[in-house]
Amino acid sequence: MKVPLLDLKPQYYSLKKELDEAVLRVCESQMFILGKEVDEMEKEFAQYLGAKHAVGVSSGTDALLLALMAIDIKPEDEVIMPTYSFFATAGVVSRLNAKPVFTDVDPVTFNIDPKDIESKITEKTKAIIPVHLYGQSAEMDSIMEIAAKYNLKVIEDGAQAISTQYKDGRCVGTIGDIGCYSFFPSKNLGCFGDAGLVVTNDDELAYKLKIMRVHGMDPKYYHKVIGGNFRIDALQAAVLRIKLPHLDSWSEKRRINADLYNKLFIERGLAEETGKIIFDDKNSVLLPKAVYKDSKSELKNYHIFNQYIIRVQKRNSLLDHLRKNDIGCDIYYPVPFHRQECFQYLDNNDQDYPVSNCAANDSIALPIFPELTEEQITFVVDTISDFVKNSENIPLECENCFCK
Ligand SMILES: *Cc1c(COP(=O)(O)O)cnc(C)c1O
């Protein structure tokens, strides 16, 4: 049986007629950049997310870059973020000649560890970028408290978490000063190319985001500030308008898939419960935990599982085994920021990031997309179970992993 890590075709075919019509509507209009389609999309997303303003942009990376420009990040400013995320979170800070400052992450959620933030704050610190990794909210109460205490801005990287709710029910991205999302095709809400979105509840920031998206101009050809071309195109907006009403049901399907994985791993004796490891068993599997899950409100999007990540002691051997069995899997992420070649100039101490270093060695992403079948999920778990049973002689890959 073949189980791809992600297959976008079933989703396309389930909405083919509407999507094709939306694309044709844009072709007929020959209005490709911004315009009515984008205005409508922005209104619909602002309402859905519970934000006062939404501004469509060219990618998730540009959403972050634009957000930092709007809060006036200057050369030498420092911006704090987790060391464990997709490269864009840190790359945008360096592109403004500011300094990315890394914290370690929480061992259960892989999100920024609030305990690690305060010690990194200096006079130059201007902002914090919490990342809602894999579709689960960072611990926003603590982050907002620290930001208020030191007068810092908070830019939320919600690229993997559009529609994720924090424990109080608010959508992530609407809690800090500016929220950033990506519509890259592999995200929970993907479009037909690159696109992104920024949201804010602040009128002044919304104005800056809007004009900086078009080279800082207002009115046309009069430039108030220096911006860039961060425009979204109408084709992407039209596609997103068709897909948005389905987002919650897709997230629910991802959660059902995650629950089935958890149940099967526990039934096969490879785990006891989510977020817990069997300490004396080096062959156990650490299952992802939805920390804000509330038994009274199952339908809330506390975790939208952009990725389903398990942790194992013989990760690379398991990766080979899964690939040999035609099961798609990947590592998000093999190299934390502080270990990246391009960030060596920052002179960080590797020992300061034990949790992230560990996660880079033992985590593995399994297929979780909404249209996976029960048979496919069962096959994945059985294949892992087989591996575990026959892996006694395979040496542990890392000395310092989660079982210590
Ligand atoms: C995907 C992603 C981005 C970048 O989004 P693009 O649309 O690919 O530019 C930024 N941050 C995180 C955490 C992401 O997963």
Side-chain angles (χ1 to χ4, degrees), residues 68-79:
L68 293 177
M69 289 169 75
I71 62 165
D72 225 10
I73 295 297
K74 295 259 185 295
E76 319 271 296
D77 286 348
E78 294 179 8
V79 179

Side-chain angles (χ1 to χ4, degrees), residues 59-62 64 85-86 88-89 131 133 157 159-160 182-184 187 194-195 333:
S59 71
T61 305
D62 284 348
L64 289 163
S85 175
F86 176 63
T89 317
V131 181
L133 205 67
D157 184 341
Q160 301 181 7
S182 163
F183 301 121
F184 184 77
K187 311 292 181 178
D194 273 312
Y333 296 89

Side-chain angles (χ1 to χ4, degrees), residues 34 70 90 136 139-140 273 378:
L34 300 178
Q136 168 155 252
E139 181 38 60
M140 291 305 291
E273 58 185 89
T378 309

Side-chain angles (χ1 to χ4, degrees), residues 239-255:
V239 167
L240 291 168
R241 293 181 67 198
I242 300 294
K243 287 193 173 191
L244 179 62
H246 301 277
L247 178 58
D248 283 340
S249 72
W250 293 331
S251 298
E252 183 55 16
K253 196 64 207 331
R254 284 171 182 265
R255 271 194 295 278

